[in-house]
Amino acid sequence: QVRLVESGGGLVQAGDSLRLSCVASGRTFSTYAMAWFRQAPGKEREFVAASSYNGGNIHYADSVKGRFTISRDNPRYTHYLQMNTLEPADTAVYYCAQQPAPYSATYTSEDAYNYWGQGTQVTVSS
């Protein structure tokens, strides 16, 4: 059974940084694409960033481009989201997700992912 566990969320001020981690278990991590999504209060879950199985293809939502960096450490079965220059609009629960494939062109769609973490709360105060 695949398990994804996020950590690293918290309460920060605008302009601060946070690094989220997602530790995977249950199947060979290096075989599958990974992504981060987020869900703000009262809004639908939205795509944030995605990485192919080896980090060779990386994509970001326009709203985080230039501020967030996705990366992965395959030997450690860990996936990261470095978030810099945080804004109040970044406040959300952040979810780690895994695709059942090395890469998919539909990386922005929740339907492309078959495993999800429980989420970690990020709150950015102004």
Side-chain angles (χ1 to χ4, degrees):
Q1 179 70 16
V2 173
R3 187 170 181 224
L4 303 176
V5 180
E6 303 99 332
S7 62
L11 171 63
V12 297
Q13 294 187 330
D16 286 350
S17 298
L18 277 177
R19 188 175 80 157
L20 305 183
S21 300
C22 171
V23 178
S25 61
R27 63 182 182 182
T28 306
F29 180 74
S30 60
T31 306
Y32 303 100
M34 300 291 295
W36 291 94
F37 284 73
R38 68 185 181 186
Q39 187 168 21
K43 295 187 176 180
E44 294 188 352
R45 191 155 53 183
E46 65 175 6
F47 168 77
V48 175
S51 165
S52 62
Y53 73 106
N54 63 355
N57 283 285
I58 289 179
H59 304 279
Y60 296 98
D62 288 343
S63 59
V64 307
K65 214 172 278 186
R67 299 187 299 120
F68 290 12
T69 303
I70 191 174
S71 62
R72 59 192 299 158
D73 185 341
N74 283 346
R76 294 180 183 269
Y77 277 46
T78 305
H79 183 222
Y80 301 101
L81 184 68
Q82 176 67 44
M83 307 185 294
N84 298 330
T85 320
L86 283 160
E87 304 168 353
D90 296 317
T91 295
V93 177
Y94 283 72
Y95 297 91
C96 172
Q98 187 178 76
Q99 284 192 352
Y103 176 76
S104 170
T106 58
Y107 53 84
T108 61
S109 170
E110 291 185 51
D111 293 339
Y113 300 86
N114 61 342
Y115 289 104
W116 294 82
Q118 82 288 349
T120 185
Q121 176 71 47
V122 172
T123 303
V124 184
S125 64
S126 58

